[in-house]
Amino acid sequence: MTRPAKWRASFAASILTYVVLPQPAAADPGSYYETPGTSYFNPSDRRPLDGSYRSGYGPVNWNGLYGGVHGGWAGGQSSTAGAFGQSIDTSGSLGGLHGGYNYQSGSLVTGLEADASWTGVDGSEPISSGRNLSISTDWLSSLRMRLGYATGNWLLYGTAGVALAGVDTALTGPNGGSLDSDTLTGYAVGLGAELALTQSISARVEALHYGMSHETMQTWRGTVDMDLDLTTVRGGLSIKLN
């Protein structure tokens, strides 16, 4: 066989092999971007050749220890009974720290969180001619369980636990005044939403309601029983520590 004939035969065999033999199926560019039941960051955050995630991206993982800061507003009412009865509206700003631990199983996230807030929540009302009652909440703290549902980059959760509040009561009048400081105990319940900005940083907004039990305070007019109800709305940032 002449050289041109051999070349033509070789070329024909190559074409026949390509047509007859099965070819690998084209990869679906979205097939490795999402698995049923899981949520990921944007597919552009994955490497195009093997589908692996670029550094700092991937499925949102809420597991682990975290800490952060928060700030917001609080408002509510304090009621007194005993030597005198009075309802006082209180409101003001707050800011503080929080920290906790999350455990994630599928879309379910459970955790424990502690927080402490310094507040400027206060209010006052006249109780009789020339006499005034002032109540201020200096700090709030709570230890709460969290139960949440993770979807996409979001964590939606409810929370409940025990709470403490530092409260000052001042009674002033023509005959002088008195100041009593006490720690009230009670509960805190609320709802919140947290958004993962990266694998390590998240932003949150939450509303908490504090209900404080009756506390007996001493004033120059006699014994006064007081309770406190506050609702806080606050935003914050958290950083994963592991």
Side-chain angles (χ1 to χ4, degrees), residues 38-96:
T38 61
S39 299
Y40 296 107
F41 280 81
N42 192 299
S44 64
D45 298 324
R46 304 190 79 164
R47 297 184 178 92
L49 294 181
D50 61 1
S52 63
Y53 290 100
R54 295 187 173 94
S55 177
Y57 295 91
V60 180
N61 183 359
W62 296 98
N63 275 310
L65 190 67
Y66 64 89
V69 297
H70 60 261
W73 174 91
Q77 189 176 77
S78 178
S79 301
T80 61
F84 51 84
Q86 188 73 41
S87 293
I88 299 177
D89 293 329
T90 61
S91 63
S93 59
L94 62 86

CSV table of all heavy atoms in Angstrom, one decimal, residues 38-96:
chain,number,residue,atom,x,y,z
A,38,THR,N,-29.3,20.2,51.1
A,38,THR,CA,-28.2,21.0,51.6
A,38,THR,C,-28.3,22.3,50.8
A,38,THR,O,-28.8,22.5,49.8
A,38,THR,CB,-26.9,20.4,51.4
A,38,THR,OG1,-26.7,20.2,49.9
A,38,THR,CG2,-26.8,19.0,52.1
A,39,SER,N,-27.7,23.3,51.5
A,39,SER,CA,-27.6,24.7,50.9
A,39,SER,C,-26.2,25.2,50.8
A,39,SER,O,-25.4,24.9,51.7
A,39,SER,CB,-28.5,25.7,51.7
A,39,SER,OG,-29.8,25.2,51.8
A,40,TYR,N,-25.9,25.9,49.7
A,40,TYR,CA,-24.5,26.3,49.5
A,40,TYR,C,-24.5,27.8,49.2
A,40,TYR,O,-25.5,28.4,49.0
A,40,TYR,CB,-23.9,25.6,48.3
A,40,TYR,CG,-23.8,24.1,48.5
A,40,TYR,CD1,-24.6,23.2,47.8
A,40,TYR,CD2,-22.8,23.6,49.3
A,40,TYR,CE1,-24.5,21.9,47.9
A,40,TYR,CE2,-22.7,22.2,49.5
A,40,TYR,CZ,-23.6,21.4,48.8
A,40,TYR,OH,-23.5,20.0,48.9
A,41,PHE,N,-23.2,28.3,49.2
A,41,PHE,CA,-23.0,29.7,48.7
A,41,PHE,C,-23.2,29.7,47.2
A,41,PHE,O,-23.4,28.6,46.6
A,41,PHE,CB,-21.6,30.2,49.2
A,41,PHE,CG,-21.6,30.6,50.6
A,41,PHE,CD1,-21.4,29.8,51.6
A,41,PHE,CD2,-21.6,32.0,50.8
A,41,PHE,CE1,-21.4,30.2,52.9
A,41,PHE,CE2,-21.6,32.5,52.1
A,41,PHE,CZ,-21.5,31.6,53.2
A,42,ASN,N,-23.0,30.8,46.6
A,42,ASN,CA,-23.2,30.9,45.2
A,42,ASN,C,-22.3,30.0,44.4
A,42,ASN,O,-21.1,29.8,44.8
A,42,ASN,CB,-22.8,32.4,44.8
A,42,ASN,CG,-23.3,32.7,43.4
A,42,ASN,OD1,-22.8,32.1,42.4
A,42,ASN,ND2,-24.1,33.7,43.2
A,43,PRO,N,-22.8,29.3,43.4
A,43,PRO,CA,-22.0,28.3,42.6
A,43,PRO,C,-20.7,28.9,42.1
A,43,PRO,O,-19.7,28.2,41.8
A,43,PRO,CB,-22.9,27.9,41.5
A,43,PRO,CG,-24.2,28.1,42.0
A,43,PRO,CD,-24.2,29.3,42.9
A,44,SER,N,-20.6,30.3,41.9
A,44,SER,CA,-19.4,30.9,41.4
A,44,SER,C,-18.3,30.8,42.4
A,44,SER,O,-17.1,31.1,42.1
A,44,SER,CB,-19.7,32.4,41.0
A,44,SER,OG,-20.0,33.1,42.2
A,45,ASP,N,-18.6,30.4,43.6
A,45,ASP,CA,-17.6,30.3,44.7
A,45,ASP,C,-16.9,28.9,44.6
A,45,ASP,O,-16.1,28.6,45.5
A,45,ASP,CB,-18.2,30.5,46.1
A,45,ASP,CG,-18.8,31.9,46.2
A,45,ASP,OD1,-18.2,32.8,45.7
A,45,ASP,OD2,-19.8,32.0,46.9
A,46,ARG,N,-17.3,28.1,43.6
A,46,ARG,CA,-16.7,26.8,43.4
A,46,ARG,C,-15.7,26.8,42.3
A,46,ARG,O,-15.9,27.5,41.3
A,46,ARG,CB,-17.7,25.7,43.2
A,46,ARG,CG,-18.8,25.7,44.3
A,46,ARG,CD,-19.7,24.5,44.2
A,46,ARG,NE,-19.0,23.3,44.7
A,46,ARG,CZ,-19.6,22.2,45.1
A,46,ARG,NH1,-20.9,22.1,44.9
A,46,ARG,NH2,-19.0,21.1,45.5
A,47,ARG,N,-14.7,26.0,42.3
A,47,ARG,CA,-13.7,25.9,41.2
A,47,ARG,C,-14.4,25.2,40.1
A,47,ARG,O,-15.0,24.2,40.3
A,47,ARG,CB,-12.5,25.2,41.7
A,47,ARG,CG,-11.7,25.9,42.8
A,47,ARG,CD,-10.4,25.2,43.2
A,47,ARG,NE,-9.7,25.9,44.2
A,47,ARG,CZ,-9.8,25.7,45.5
A,47,ARG,NH1,-10.7,24.8,46.0
A,47,ARG,NH2,-9.1,26.4,46.4
A,48,PRO,N,-14.2,25.7,38.8
A,48,PRO,CA,-14.9,25.1,37.7
A,48,PRO,C,-14.5,23.7,37.3
A,48,PRO,O,-15.3,23.0,36.7
A,48,PRO,CB,-14.7,26.2,36.6
A,48,PRO,CG,-13.4,26.8,37.0
A,48,PRO,CD,-13.4,26.8,38.5
A,49,LEU,N,-13.3,23.3,37.5
A,49,LEU,CA,-12.8,22.0,37.0
A,49,LEU,C,-13.3,20.9,37.9
A,49,LEU,O,-13.8,19.9,37.4
A,49,LEU,CB,-11.3,22.0,37.0
A,49,LEU,CG,-10.7,23.0,35.9
A,49,LEU,CD1,-9.2,22.9,35.9
A,49,LEU,CD2,-11.2,22.7,34.5
A,50,ASP,N,-13.2,21.0,39.2
A,50,ASP,CA,-13.5,19.8,40.0
A,50,ASP,C,-14.7,20.1,41.0
A,50,ASP,O,-15.1,19.2,41.7
A,50,ASP,CB,-12.3,19.3,40.9
A,50,ASP,CG,-11.8,20.4,41.8
A,50,ASP,OD1,-12.4,21.5,41.8
A,50,ASP,OD2,-10.8,20.1,42.5
A,51,GLY,N,-15.2,21.3,41.0
A,51,GLY,CA,-16.4,21.6,41.8
A,51,GLY,C,-16.0,21.9,43.3
A,51,GLY,O,-16.9,22.1,44.1
A,52,SER,N,-14.8,21.9,43.6
A,52,SER,CA,-14.4,22.1,45.0
A,52,SER,C,-14.6,23.6,45.4
A,52,SER,O,-14.6,24.4,44.5
A,52,SER,CB,-12.9,21.7,45.3
A,52,SER,OG,-12.1,22.5,44.5
A,53,TYR,N,-14.8,23.9,46.7
A,53,TYR,CA,-15.0,25.3,47.1
A,53,TYR,C,-13.7,26.1,47.2
A,53,TYR,O,-12.7,25.5,47.7
A,53,TYR,CB,-15.8,25.3,48.4
A,53,TYR,CG,-17.2,24.8,48.3
A,53,TYR,CD1,-17.5,23.5,48.6
A,53,TYR,CD2,-18.2,25.7,47.8
A,53,TYR,CE1,-18.8,23.1,48.5
A,53,TYR,CE2,-19.5,25.2,47.6
A,53,TYR,CZ,-19.8,23.9,48.0
A,53,TYR,OH,-21.1,23.5,47.9
A,54,ARG,N,-13.8,27.3,46.8
A,54,ARG,CA,-12.7,28.2,47.1
A,54,ARG,C,-12.6,28.4,48.6
A,54,ARG,O,-13.5,28.3,49.3
A,54,ARG,CB,-12.9,29.5,46.4
A,54,ARG,CG,-12.9,29.4,44.9
A,54,ARG,CD,-12.9,30.8,44.2
A,54,ARG,NE,-12.7,30.7,42.8
A,54,ARG,CZ,-13.7,30.6,41.9
A,54,ARG,NH1,-15.0,30.6,42.3
A,54,ARG,NH2,-13.5,30.5,40.6
A,55,SER,N,-11.4,28.8,49.0
A,55,SER,CA,-11.1,29.0,50.5
A,55,SER,C,-12.1,29.9,51.1
A,55,SER,O,-12.3,31.0,50.6
A,55,SER,CB,-9.7,29.5,50.7
A,55,SER,OG,-9.4,29.7,52.1
A,56,GLY,N,-12.7,29.5,52.2
A,56,GLY,CA,-13.7,30.4,52.9
A,56,GLY,C,-15.1,30.2,52.5
A,56,GLY,O,-16.0,30.9,53.1
A,57,TYR,N,-15.4,29.4,51.5
A,57,TYR,CA,-16.8,29.2,51.1
A,57,TYR,C,-17.2,27.7,51.2
A,57,TYR,O,-16.4,26.9,51.7
A,57,TYR,CB,-16.9,29.6,49.6
A,57,TYR,CG,-16.6,31.1,49.4
A,57,TYR,CD1,-15.4,31.5,49.1
A,57,TYR,CD2,-17.7,32.0,49.5
A,57,TYR,CE1,-15.1,32.9,48.9
A,57,TYR,CE2,-17.5,33.3,49.3
A,57,TYR,CZ,-16.2,33.8,49.0
A,57,TYR,OH,-16.0,35.1,48.9
A,58,GLY,N,-18.4,27.5,50.9
A,58,GLY,CA,-18.9,26.1,51.0
A,58,GLY,C,-20.2,26.1,51.8
A,58,GLY,O,-20.8,27.1,52.1
A,59,PRO,N,-20.7,24.9,52.1
A,59,PRO,CA,-22.0,24.8,52.9
A,59,PRO,C,-21.8,25.6,54.2
A,59,PRO,O,-20.8,25.5,54.8
A,59,PRO,CB,-22.1,23.3,53.1
A,59,PRO,CG,-21.3,22.7,52.0
A,59,PRO,CD,-20.2,23.6,51.7
A,60,VAL,N,-22.9,26.3,54.6
A,60,VAL,CA,-22.9,27.0,55.8
A,60,VAL,C,-22.8,26.0,57.0
A,60,VAL,O,-23.7,25.1,57.1
A,60,VAL,CB,-24.1,27.9,55.9
A,60,VAL,CG1,-24.1,28.7,57.2
A,60,VAL,CG2,-24.2,28.9,54.8
A,61,ASN,N,-21.9,26.2,57.9
A,61,ASN,CA,-21.7,25.3,59.0
A,61,ASN,C,-21.8,26.1,60.3
A,61,ASN,O,-21.0,27.0,60.6
A,61,ASN,CB,-20.3,24.6,58.9
A,61,ASN,CG,-20.1,23.7,60.1
A,61,ASN,OD1,-21.0,23.5,60.9
A,61,ASN,ND2,-19.0,23.0,60.1
A,62,TRP,N,-22.9,25.9,61.1
A,62,TRP,CA,-23.2,26.7,62.3
A,62,TRP,C,-22.6,26.0,63.5
A,62,TRP,O,-22.7,26.6,64.6
A,62,TRP,CB,-24.7,26.8,62.5
A,62,TRP,CG,-25.4,27.6,61.4
A,62,TRP,CD1,-26.0,27.1,60.3
A,62,TRP,CD2,-25.4,29.0,61.3
A,62,TRP,NE1,-26.5,28.1,59.5
A,62,TRP,CE2,-26.1,29.3,60.1
A,62,TRP,CE3,-24.9,30.1,62.0
A,62,TRP,CZ2,-26.4,30.6,59.7
A,62,TRP,CZ3,-25.2,31.4,61.6
A,62,TRP,CH2,-25.9,31.7,60.5
A,63,ASN,N,-21.9,24.9,63.3
A,63,ASN,CA,-21.3,24.2,64.5
A,63,ASN,C,-20.2,25.1,65.1
A,63,ASN,O,-19.5,25.7,64.5
A,63,ASN,CB,-20.7,22.9,64.1
A,63,ASN,CG,-21.7,21.8,64.0
A,63,ASN,OD1,-22.4,21.5,65.0
A,63,ASN,ND2,-21.7,21.0,62.9
A,64,GLY,N,-20.2,25.0,66.5
A,64,GLY,CA,-19.0,25.6,67.1
A,64,GLY,C,-19.3,26.7,68.1
A,64,GLY,O,-20.4,27.2,68.3
A,65,LEU,N,-18.2,27.2,68.7
A,65,LEU,CA,-18.2,28.2,69.6
A,65,LEU,C,-18.2,29.6,68.9
A,65,LEU,O,-17.5,29.8,67.9
A,65,LEU,CB,-16.9,28.1,70.6
A,65,LEU,CG,-16.8,29.0,71.8
A,65,LEU,CD1,-17.9,28.6,72.8
A,65,LEU,CD2,-15.5,28.8,72.4
A,66,TYR,N,-18.9,30.6,69.5
A,66,TYR,CA,-18.9,31.9,68.9
A,66,TYR,C,-19.0,33.0,70.0
A,66,TYR,O,-19.4,32.7,71.1
A,66,TYR,CB,-20.1,32.0,67.9
A,66,TYR,CG,-21.5,31.9,68.5
A,66,TYR,CD1,-22.1,33.0,69.0
A,66,TYR,CD2,-22.1,30.6,68.7
A,66,TYR,CE1,-23.4,32.9,69.6
A,66,TYR,CE2,-23.3,30.5,69.3
A,66,TYR,CZ,-23.9,31.6,69.8
A,66,TYR,OH,-25.2,31.5,70.4
A,67,GLY,N,-18.7,34.2,69.6
A,67,GLY,CA,-18.9,35.4,70.5
A,67,GLY,C,-19.1,36.6,69.6
A,67,GLY,O,-18.8,36.6,68.4
A,68,GLY,N,-19.7,37.6,70.2
A,68,GLY,CA,-20.0,38.8,69.5
A,68,GLY,C,-20.5,40.0,70.3
A,68,GLY,O,-20.5,39.9,71.5
A,69,VAL,N,-20.9,41.0,69.6
A,69,VAL,CA,-21.5,42.2,70.2
A,69,VAL,C,-22.9,42.5,69.7
A,69,VAL,O,-23.2,42.1,68.6
A,69,VAL,CB,-20.5,43.4,69.9
A,69,VAL,CG1,-19.2,43.2,70.5
A,69,VAL,CG2,-20.4,43.7,68.4
A,70,HIS,N,-23.6,43.3,70.5
A,70,HIS,CA,-25.0,43.6,70.0
A,70,HIS,C,-25.4,45.0,70.6
A,70,HIS,O,-24.8,45.5,71.6
A,70,HIS,CB,-26.0,42.6,70.5
A,70,HIS,CG,-26.1,42.3,72.0
A,70,HIS,ND1,-25.4,41.3,72.6
A,70,HIS,CD2,-26.7,43.1,72.9
A,70,HIS,CE1,-25.6,41.4,73.9
A,70,HIS,NE2,-26.4,42.4,74.1
A,71,GLY,N,-26.4,45.6,70.0
A,71,GLY,CA,-26.9,46.8,70.5
A,71,GLY,C,-28.3,47.0,70.0
A,71,GLY,O,-28.7,46.4,69.0
A,72,GLY,N,-29.1,47.9,70.7
A,72,GLY,CA,-30.5,48.1,70.3
A,72,GLY,C,-31.2,49.0,71.3
A,72,GLY,O,-30.7,49.9,71.9
A,73,TRP,N,-32.5,48.7,71.4
A,73,TRP,CA,-33.5,49.5,72.2
A,73,TRP,C,-34.3,48.5,73.0
A,73,TRP,O,-34.6,47.4,72.7
A,73,TRP,CB,-34.4,50.2,71.2
A,73,TRP,CG,-35.5,51.0,71.9
A,73,TRP,CD1,-35.4,52.3,72.3
A,73,TRP,CD2,-36.8,50.6,72.2
A,73,TRP,NE1,-36.6,52.7,72.9
A,73,TRP,CE2,-37.5,51.6,72.8
A,73,TRP,CE3,-37.5,49.3,72.0
A,73,TRP,CZ2,-38.8,51.5,73.2
A,73,TRP,CZ3,-38.8,49.2,72.4
A,73,TRP,CH2,-39.4,50.3,73.0
A,74,ALA,N,-34.7,49.1,74.2
A,74,ALA,CA,-35.6,48.3,75.1
A,74,ALA,C,-36.7,49.2,75.6
A,74,ALA,O,-36.5,50.4,75.8
A,74,ALA,CB,-34.8,47.7,76.3
A,75,GLY,N,-37.9,48.7,75.8
A,75,GLY,CA,-39.0,49.4,76.4
A,75,GLY,C,-39.9,48.5,77.1
A,75,GLY,O,-40.0,47.3,76.8
A,76,GLY,N,-40.6,49.0,78.1
A,76,GLY,CA,-41.6,48.2,78.8
A,76,GLY,C,-42.2,49.0,79.9
A,76,GLY,O,-42.3,50.2,79.9
A,77,GLN,N,-42.6,48.3,81.0
A,77,GLN,CA,-43.4,48.9,82.1
A,77,GLN,C,-43.0,48.2,83.4
A,77,GLN,O,-42.7,47.0,83.4
A,77,GLN,CB,-44.9,48.7,81.8
A,77,GLN,CG,-45.7,49.5,82.8
A,77,GLN,CD,-47.2,49.4,82.5
A,77,GLN,OE1,-47.8,48.4,82.7
A,77,GLN,NE2,-47.7,50.5,81.9
A,78,SER,N,-42.9,49.0,84.4
A,78,SER,CA,-42.7,48.5,85.8
A,78,SER,C,-43.9,48.8,86.6
A,78,SER,O,-44.4,50.0,86.5
A,78,SER,CB,-41.4,49.1,86.4
A,78,SER,OG,-41.2,48.7,87.7
A,79,SER,N,-44.3,47.9,87.4
A,79,SER,CA,-45.5,48.1,88.3
A,79,SER,C,-45.1,47.9,89.8
A,79,SER,O,-44.3,47.0,90.1
A,79,SER,CB,-46.6,47.1,88.0
A,79,SER,OG,-47.0,47.2,86.6
A,80,THR,N,-45.7,48.8,90.6
A,80,THR,CA,-45.4,48.7,92.1
A,80,THR,C,-46.7,48.5,92.8
A,80,THR,O,-47.7,48.9,92.4
A,80,THR,CB,-44.6,50.0,92.6
A,80,THR,OG1,-45.5,51.1,92.3
A,80,THR,CG2,-43.3,50.2,91.8
A,81,ALA,N,-46.5,47.9,94.0
A,81,ALA,CA,-47.7,47.7,94.9
A,81,ALA,C,-47.1,47.7,96.3
A,81,ALA,O,-46.0,47.4,96.6
A,81,ALA,CB,-48.4,46.4,94.6
A,82,GLY,N,-48.0,48.0,97.3
A,82,GLY,CA,-47.6,48.0,98.7
A,82,GLY,C,-47.8,49.4,99.3
A,82,GLY,O,-49.0,49.9,99.4
A,83,ALA,N,-46.7,50.1,99.6
A,83,ALA,CA,-46.9,51.4,100.2
A,83,ALA,C,-47.5,52.4,99.2
A,83,ALA,O,-48.2,53.3,99.6
A,83,ALA,CB,-45.5,51.9,100.7
A,84,PHE,N,-47.3,52.1,97.9
A,84,PHE,CA,-48.0,52.9,96.9
A,84,PHE,C,-48.0,52.0,95.6
A,84,PHE,O,-47.2,51.1,95.4
A,84,PHE,CB,-47.3,54.2,96.6
A,84,PHE,CG,-45.8,54.1,96.4
A,84,PHE,CD1,-45.3,53.8,95.2
A,84,PHE,CD2,-45.0,54.3,97.5
A,84,PHE,CE1,-44.0,53.7,94.9
A,84,PHE,CE2,-43.6,54.2,97.3
A,84,PHE,CZ,-43.1,53.9,96.0
A,85,GLY,N,-49.0,52.2,94.8
A,85,GLY,CA,-49.1,51.5,93.5
A,85,GLY,C,-48.9,52.4,92.4
A,85,GLY,O,-49.5,53.5,92.3
A,86,GLN,N,-48.1,52.0,91.4
A,86,GLN,CA,-47.8,52.9,90.3
A,86,GLN,C,-47.3,52.1,89.1
A,86,GLN,O,-46.6,51.1,89.3
A,86,GLN,CB,-46.8,53.9,90.7
A,86,GLN,CG,-46.5,55.0,89.7
A,86,GLN,CD,-47.7,56.0,89.6
A,86,GLN,OE1,-48.2,56.4,90.6
A,86,GLN,NE2,-48.0,56.4,88.4
A,87,SER,N,-47.7,52.4,87.9
A,87,SER,CA,-47.2,51.8,86.7
A,87,SER,C,-46.3,52.9,86.0
A,87,SER,O,-46.8,54.0,85.8
A,87,SER,CB,-48.3,51.4,85.8
A,87,SER,OG,-49.0,50.3,86.4
A,88,ILE,N,-45.1,52.5,85.7
A,88,ILE,CA,-44.1,53.4,85.1
A,88,ILE,C,-43.7,52.9,83.8
A,88,ILE,O,-43.2,51.7,83.7
A,88,ILE,CB,-43.0,53.7,86.0
A,88,ILE,CG1,-43.4,54.3,87.4
A,88,ILE,CG2,-41.9,54.6,85.4
A,88,ILE,CD1,-42.3,54.5,88.4
A,89,ASP,N,-43.8,53.7,82.7
A,89,ASP,CA,-43.2,53.3,81.4
A,89,ASP,C,-41.7,53.6,81.4
A,89,ASP,O,-41.3,54.7,81.8
A,89,ASP,CB,-43.9,54.0,80.3
A,89,ASP,CG,-45.4,53.6,80.1
A,89,ASP,OD1,-45.7,52.5,80.4
A,89,ASP,OD2,-46.2,54.5,79.7
A,90,THR,N,-40.9,52.6,80.9
A,90,THR,CA,-39.5,52.8,80.9
A,90,THR,C,-39.0,52.5,79.5
A,90,THR,O,-39.6,51.6,78.8
A,90,THR,CB,-38.8,51.9,81.9
A,90,THR,OG1,-39.0,50.5,81.6
A,90,THR,CG2,-39.2,52.2,83.3
A,91,SER,N,-37.9,53.1,79.0
A,91,SER,CA,-37.4,52.9,77.7
A,91,SER,C,-36.0,53.4,77.7
A,91,SER,O,-35.6,54.2,78.5
A,91,SER,CB,-38.2,53.5,76.6
A,91,SER,OG,-38.2,54.9,76.7
A,92,GLY,N,-35.2,52.9,76.7
A,92,GLY,CA,-33.8,53.4,76.5
A,92,GLY,C,-33.0,52.5,75.6
A,92,GLY,O,-33.5,51.5,75.1
A,93,SER,N,-31.8,52.8,75.5
A,93,SER,CA,-30.9,52.0,74.6
A,93,SER,C,-30.1,51.0,75.4
A,93,SER,O,-30.1,51.0,76.6
A,93,SER,CB,-29.9,52.9,73.9
A,93,SER,OG,-29.1,53.6,74.9
A,94,LEU,N,-29.5,50.0,74.7
A,94,LEU,CA,-28.7,49.0,75.3
A,94,LEU,C,-27.6,48.6,74.4
A,94,LEU,O,-27.6,48.8,73.2
A,94,LEU,CB,-29.5,47.8,75.7
A,94,LEU,CG,-30.3,47.0,74.6
A,94,LEU,CD1,-29.4,45.9,74.0
A,94,LEU,CD2,-31.5,46.4,75.2
A,95,GLY,N,-26.5,48.0,75.0
A,95,GLY,CA,-25.4,47.4,74.2
A,95,GLY,C,-24.7,46.4,75.1
A,95,GLY,O,-24.7,46.5,76.3
A,96,GLY,N,-24.1,45.4,74.4
A,96,GLY,CA,-23.5,44.4,75.2
A,96,GLY,C,-22.8,43.3,74.4
A,96,GLY,O,-22.5,43.5,73.2
